[in-house]
Amino acid sequence: MSRPITGTTLVAGVVGNPIAHSLSPILHNAWLDAAGIDGAYVALEVKEDGLQRLVEGLKGTSFRGLNVTLPFKTDALAAAGHIHPRARRAQAANLLTFAEGRVAADNTDGLGLLAAFNEQAPGFDPAAGPVTILGAGGAARGAVAAFLDAGCPQVRVVNRTLARAEALTAELGGDPYGLADAGAAFAGAIAVVNATSAGLADDSALSFPLAATPEGCVVMDMVYKPLVTPFLVQARALGRPTVDGLAMLIGQARPSFEAFFGQPPPRDLDVRALALKALGA
Ligand code: NAP
């Protein structure tokens, strides 16, 4: 970053634990540079119980806001005075903005998910058929809400702990499935999204019966380290089109940038290439 930090520099950041390997500072600072905005985006690591205190301290300052990542996405809701309906539905917030001492919570993960499909599976229409979400945590909740809001006629939720899938679908809509019934949940699906934290390492790779998906079913993994997860390798071996988690990460960062700095990030900068370099991919 060649821009000087001055007394008028706008500052925003991302909070999580751990946070050192977050790609968000790379994305946002590259966009700030390209847009010529006097701004800076920093990563903050806080202790497990520290989010509330951090927000209390920052909300009356000139700090613009925070992206929020694990394990604070639920705490972020409690820290906000105003909650966007999509964050309330997801019961998780990945974006806090500060203005005049007030804190607003939003969730841009669902927007990022749909943007990723738009970019990497052009022509995909969420209203064209059933979509299957794997997982029932915060990311899955956001995905279910995003697909239902986009007109998807049926969202199927498959989870290791069936009771969590049942609770999620009872609240948001959709149909719950246990892992043993994943094949039935894949039949006729136009997309399958892995929103579990499994697959982060090869030894925890998901073994789902992806062969039960129809030809042309788009397979997406929210995990982006590695970029091509064992789940996506399995999908590609079956000839299924795939969408990766990095496209979603960039897709959720775009509306966050606009919320912090008042304008959309420049489109002509290849931040994906920067992120891939940082990932060593
Ligand atoms: P979470 O709330 O902790 O939920 C984790 C989910 O994974 C639960 O449904 C859990 O099932 C399931 N799970 C964990 N290990 C499993 C295994 N070995 N086999 C089957 N299911 C397993 O996490 P989250 O916040 O929803 O995040 C989920 C993933 O999405 C994370 O990897 C996160 O990094 C990723 N994510 C990516 C983006 C992006 O921009 N690319 C954005 C948001 C999240 P149980 O209910 O049975 O425990």
Side-chain angles (χ1 to χ4, degrees):
M1 189 168 71
S2 53
R3 289 170 288 111
I5 302 288
T6 70
T8 57
T9 299
L10 305 174
V11 187
V14 58
V15 60
N17 189 339
I19 200 65
H21 294 101
S22 170
L23 294 176
S24 294
I26 292 169
L27 303 177
H28 285 269
N29 285 310
W31 280 328
L32 285 167
D33 269 347
I37 296 172
D38 179 16
Y41 184 99
V42 296
L44 304 170
E45 181 172 303
V46 301
K47 298 260 183 282
E48 294 270 325
D49 61 349
L51 185 78
Q52 294 281 354
R53 286 196 302 279
L54 177 72
V55 171
E56 273 306 306
L58 288 177
K59 73 179 185 187
T61 71
S62 56
F63 210 86
R64 309 293 293 176
L66 289 167
N67 283 124
V68 181
T69 187
L70 297 177
F72 300 118
K73 287 187 176 186
T74 308
D75 292 2
L77 282 186
H82 178 266
I83 298 172
H84 193 286
R86 64 187 164 217
R88 195 176 293 287
R89 288 186 85 199
Q91 281 187 10
N94 73 329
L95 173 63
L96 294 175
T97 47
F98 308 143
E100 291 157 14
R102 289 195 298 272
V103 183
D106 199 349
N107 192 319
T108 63
D109 280 341
L111 298 174
L113 177 63
L114 295 178
F117 271 80
N118 208 24
E119 181 195 327
Q120 295 191 338
F124 175 80
D125 176 6
V131 169
T132 303
I133 310 292
L134 307 177
R141 291 184 69 92
V144 170
F147 276 111
L148 287 173
D149 289 349
C152 181
Q154 187 195 25
V155 177
R156 303 162 177 174
V157 179
V158 180
N159 198 44
R160 180 175 60 181
T161 309
L162 178 61
R164 285 188 85 193
E166 287 172 341
L168 190 163
T169 52
E171 187 187 331
L172 295 183
D175 297 302
Y177 292 79
L179 284 187
D181 296 322
F186 290 167
I190 59 165
V192 172
V193 175
N194 176 28
T196 74
S197 43
L200 288 169
D202 281 355
D203 60 359
S204 66
L206 289 172
S207 69
F208 278 109
L210 274 180
T213 58
E215 228 173 274
C217 174
V218 180
V219 177
M220 195 264 177
D221 199 334
M222 289 195 187
V223 173
Y224 56 86
K225 282 182 206 169
L227 184 68
V228 183
T229 61
F231 187 64
L232 292 186
V233 168
Q234 196 192 340
R236 287 182 184 179
L238 289 164
R240 303 292 182 263
T242 58
V243 173
D244 63 52
L246 182 57
M248 175 175 170
L249 183 82
I250 295 169
Q252 64 76 34
R254 286 186 174 280
S256 299
F257 182 96
E258 187 164 359
F260 296 141
F261 303 112
Q263 62 186 75
R267 278 270 164 202
D268 50 358
L269 180 70
D270 188 359
V271 286
R272 184 176 168 88
L274 296 175
L276 286 174
K277 196 170 158 205
L279 285 172

